[in-house]
Amino acid sequence: MDKLNSELLEEIKDFKEAGYKFLNGEMNKADFKKASGGMGVYAHRSGKEFMIRLRIMSGIASKEQLKLVYDFANKYDLEGIHLTTRQAIQLHGLDIDGICEVMVEALENGIYTRGSGGSFPRNVAISPLSGVDVDEAFDVTPYAMAVNKHFMKKITSYKLPRKLKVAFSSSDKDASHATVTDQGFLAVKVDDKEYFKVYIGGGLGRNPKLGVELGELIEPKDILYHVEAITNLFMAEGDYKNHGKARIRYILDRMGKDDFIKCYKKHLEEVKKAENLPLDLEIKEIKKEGKEITINNKRIISQKQKGLYSVYFHPVGGQLKLSVLKTLIDEIEDMDDVEIRLTMEEGLYIRNLNGEEAEKTASLTEGLGGETRLEQSVACIGTPICQMGVLNGQKTLNEMIDMFRSEGIKEDLLPRVHISGCPNSCGVHEVGNIGFCGKMKRVGDGPKNVFELHIKGELGEGKTRIGDYYGDILQDKVPEFLLELAKAVKLNGTEFEAFITESEDEFKQVLNKFLV
């Protein structure tokens, strides 16, 4: 990677010049976005401050990396960091000098920002409990990391129509969204042998689409051939002229399932003939001695390693305060073999804790983040920061939580809510049990802030579905709607999922009071 790092350091110098041109009015927003996206940087809506996205590979963060991120945020007087819905970390509110300083120091410490935005292969998603999940087929971590390294070796040379997303799920729960992304690998075992199911052509955002299954199991050793096949198909068939239809799912739309799979297999055969792509896998075995406990906290999860546990922590809206981050870092400092895994829901797992460590960590973080499913909801960064954002989902999320807390509701009456401030779907609202998508709509005498309501989205092998659109609700009425919905679910005496299907008339009675 030394050659790559040298190349990236030169790029950073050029990017800094572009940043000053933008600030001085010599470069417009569109041109700067083209220059900045591939560097993992985006301007705030103000045009004076910037965000940088740290490419934490597959969300696997060491203690040293967490300390470095803390030092960055502390140095630039940030209140906190933002955990994303693709297992990365964002720092907001930096000036252009700070952005470039972070890029250089991160690079020197093995953290990349290159390709974490723009038309490049993005961070490879992974089930955050892969390697410790009692229900998994096998640990997909080595394979995801191999693809990360494969992408990074040539990250500066990609000429893609738009972004490319690859995901690895270790079980049928599909925690990495493998069934609804550009290319997804889902681990299965057949006759005690490890294979991947392959899904291609999926994606969220405008015109969301489930991936189509390749129809044949592949051996894990062949994954890089498949990654190259989807990349080559994308470059050969993708739309370089129409940015709005440049994702792989539009190729699937145009070709149809059968021809799309046929085209994919053609590229796969070409790659196998032309390339030699051996896997360089680092298999990590967890040898830490465990200590069993009786679990009495729902954020503590038993690992498949006897006597070891993971603790889930969810900063509200993915906004991890610097003081809380420091508390976490100090807590795990002297714990052996502890690892942080970022999730696709703006949370994190602290893994490989013995029973005593798990209880202590859960107790230490109690009340510092979300405890109920509703409090562990997802919201994109939104306005007034994001240039693309329409509504402020973080504001709505906090209003929801405040209303439920003021009513003293601590039961899990509702599932996690997914909030996207615009149709770009950073809050992955389409696959949430409850999803909201922000937009403007004429209501009465003028345009109003409204959220589309999407219900019955789901993830899972053979279960993944895009939620149904039920109508629009004024933004400031969303918390009240959810509160009434929760009360109706409680009165019905059933779970939310059963309530909206078996008692749909009651659900619509609540909903109809809020639709505009």
Side-chain angles (χ1 to χ4, degrees):
M1 289 287 195
D2 289 344
K3 182 179 178 182
L4 172 64
N5 288 3
S6 297
E7 185 179 354
L8 295 181
L9 288 171
E10 289 302 313
E11 282 190 343
I12 292 169
K13 293 177 184 177
D14 294 337
F15 173 69
K16 189 173 183 178
E17 291 182 15
Y20 274 106
K21 285 182 179 179
F22 170 68
L23 291 169
N24 294 332
E26 300 169 37
M27 181 182 288
N28 62 36
K29 281 187 177 182
D31 288 340
F32 179 71
K33 187 177 179 182
K34 290 177 184 177
S36 70
M39 303 296 288
V41 177
Y42 290 97
H44 283 198
R45 183 169 288 200
S46 67
K48 297 177 181 178
E49 294 179 316
F50 303 87
M51 174 276 283
I52 187 166
R53 184 177 295 144
L54 301 174
R55 190 173 182 139
I56 306 298
M57 289 192 183
S58 296
I60 304 171
S62 66
K63 295 178 187 178
E64 292 71 28
Q65 287 176 325
L66 273 189
K67 289 177 187 175
L68 183 64
V69 171
Y70 171 82
D71 288 342
F72 287 152
N74 191 46
K75 178 180 179 180
Y76 298 103
D77 295 321
L78 306 184
E79 291 183 6
I81 64 175
H82 180 64
L83 309 185
T84 77
T85 53
R86 199 161 184 87
Q87 299 171 313
I89 292 175
Q90 291 178 179
L91 305 179
H92 286 270
L94 279 69
D95 61 23
I96 196 65
D97 290 331
I99 287 288
C100 293
E101 288 167 6
V102 168
M103 276 198 278
V104 170
E105 192 170 348
L107 186 61
E108 291 171 347
N109 286 275
I111 299 177
Y112 294 90
T113 66
R114 191 65 165 90
S116 59
S119 299
F120 292 90
R122 298 297 182 85
N123 197 16
V124 179
I126 187 176
S127 301
L129 289 176
S130 185
V132 302
D133 187 355
V134 295
D135 296 321
E136 71 182 4
F138 58 90
D139 184 7
V140 301
T141 304
Y143 304 102
M145 293 305 290
V147 176
N148 274 311
K149 291 174 183 176
H150 178 75
F151 283 150
M152 291 310 302
K153 282 179 182 177
K154 50 183 182 177
I155 195 66
T156 60
S157 65
Y158 283 100
K159 304 293 182 185
L160 303 178
R162 278 196 69 190
K163 70 185 81 169
L164 172 66
K165 293 184 176 182
V166 175
F168 285 81
S169 282
S170 61
S171 79
D172 59 5
K173 289 176 281 193
D174 191 18
S176 76
H177 306 183
T179 54
V180 65
T181 195
D182 293 314
Q183 184 178 52
F185 297 91
L186 193 145
V188 295
K189 266 191 175 180
V190 179
D191 296 330
D192 210 35
K193 188 173 180 181
E194 297 174 354
Y195 296 96
F196 281 115
K197 286 186 176 181
V198 182
Y199 296 84
I200 49 177
L204 302 178
R206 291 174 173 84
N207 187 35
K209 184 174 287 293
L210 304 187
V212 296
E213 192 175 339
L214 184 59
E216 56 193 54
L217 300 178
I218 72 162
E219 294 187 45
K221 66 180 179 63
D222 290 332
I223 58 168
L224 292 184
Y225 294 102
H226 284 264
V227 169
E228 280 297 285
I230 197 69
T231 304
N232 292 349
L233 183 154
F234 194 17
M235 291 190 291
E237 301 291 342
D239 192 334
Y240 283 88
K241 295 180 180 179
N242 186 345
H243 185 78
K245 292 193 173 183
R247 298 296 301 277
I248 290 177
R249 59 184 178 271
Y250 291 98
I251 305 173
L252 171 57
D253 274 346
R254 187 182 79 238
M255 289 185 171
K257 177 181 175 180
D258 291 343
D259 285 346
F260 181 67
I261 290 177
K262 184 178 179 181
C263 181
Y264 177 83
K265 288 182 176 179
K266 175 181 76 77
H267 283 284
L268 179 62
E269 288 306 310
E270 290 173 355
V271 171
K272 286 183 174 180
K273 288 177 182 177
E275 302 275 0
N276 180 27
L277 298 171
L279 280 178
D280 179 19
L281 298 183
E282 181 182 345
I283 307 296
K284 183 179 179 182
E285 186 179 350
I286 301 169
K287 297 180 179 180
K288 181 173 178 175
E289 185 176 348
K291 184 169 185 178
E292 293 189 81
I293 58 170
T294 300
I295 295 176
N296 54 17
N297 187 313
K298 59 188 175 184
R299 290 194 292 112
I300 300 178
I301 297 98
S302 292
Q303 297 186 182
K304 64 183 181 182
Q305 295 82 11
K306 187 176 180 181
L308 294 185
Y309 303 85
S310 293
V311 172
Y312 183 63
F313 178 66
H314 190 100
V316 172
Q319 304 286 58
L320 180 51
K321 294 179 181 177
L322 210 55
S323 58
V324 177
L325 177 58
K326 184 66 164 62
T327 297
L328 279 175
I329 290 171
D330 290 344
E331 174 66 14
I332 65 175
E333 174 69 29
D334 297 322
M335 295 180 183
D336 294 332
D337 299 322
V338 170
E339 181 182 70
I340 301 294
R341 294 277 184 116
L342 308 181
T343 76
M344 301 285 280
E345 291 83 26
E346 301 178 323
L348 59 86
Y349 284 101
I350 305 143
R351 307 189 347 162
N352 304 332
L353 303 167
N354 66 36
E356 287 184 355
E357 293 169 339
E359 289 180 327
K360 187 178 178 184
T361 302
S363 176
L364 183 75
T365 55
E366 188 172 356
L368 298 179
E371 299 290 339
T372 66
R373 291 183 303 193
L374 185 87
E375 292 172 351
Q376 294 172 1
S377 292
V378 175
C380 68
I381 203 69
T383 60
I385 293 174
C386 177
Q387 287 189 33
M388 304 294 290
V390 178
L391 301 186
N392 186 343
Q394 292 278 332
K395 175 177 178 289
T396 298
L397 172 60
N398 281 285
E399 288 172 350
M400 286 161 37
I401 293 172
D402 288 346
M403 183 171 284
F404 273 68
R405 287 177 176 173
S406 69
E407 292 280 332
I409 297 176
K410 297 181 179 180
E411 307 113 297
D412 272 325
L413 298 172
L414 296 183
R416 174 180 278 143
V417 176
H418 291 255
I419 306 172
S420 298
C422 76
N424 281 337
S425 187
C426 292
V428 295
H429 61 275
E430 298 99 333
V431 290
N433 291 142
I434 301 176
F436 290 102
C437 176
K439 67 181 183 182
M440 300 296 292
K441 179 179 180 178
R442 188 171 187 84
V443 179
D445 58 355
K448 303 289 184 183
N449 294 343
V450 303
F451 275 111
E452 293 180 356
L453 173 65
H454 298 254
I455 297 286
K456 301 179 187 176
E458 191 174 1
L459 283 167
E461 182 188 2
K463 298 179 180 178
T464 300
R465 73 184 304 272
I466 304 298
D468 299 323
Y469 167 58
Y470 273 74
D472 303 328
I473 299 174
L474 290 170
Q475 180 180 15
D476 59 8
K477 291 293 184 180
V478 166
E480 185 182 345
F481 160 68
L482 290 173
L483 181 62
E484 286 211 23
L485 180 58
K487 289 179 178 178
V489 170
K490 184 174 183 178
L491 187 64
N492 188 267
T494 186
E495 296 292 322
F496 170 79
E497 291 78 4
F499 177 74
I500 58 173
T501 54
E502 298 169 13
S503 304
E504 190 170 14
D505 288 343
E506 292 178 49
F507 166 63
K508 287 185 175 178
Q509 282 179 13
V510 175
L511 174 61
N512 288 338
K513 291 189 286 184
F514 294 91
L515 293 179
V516 293

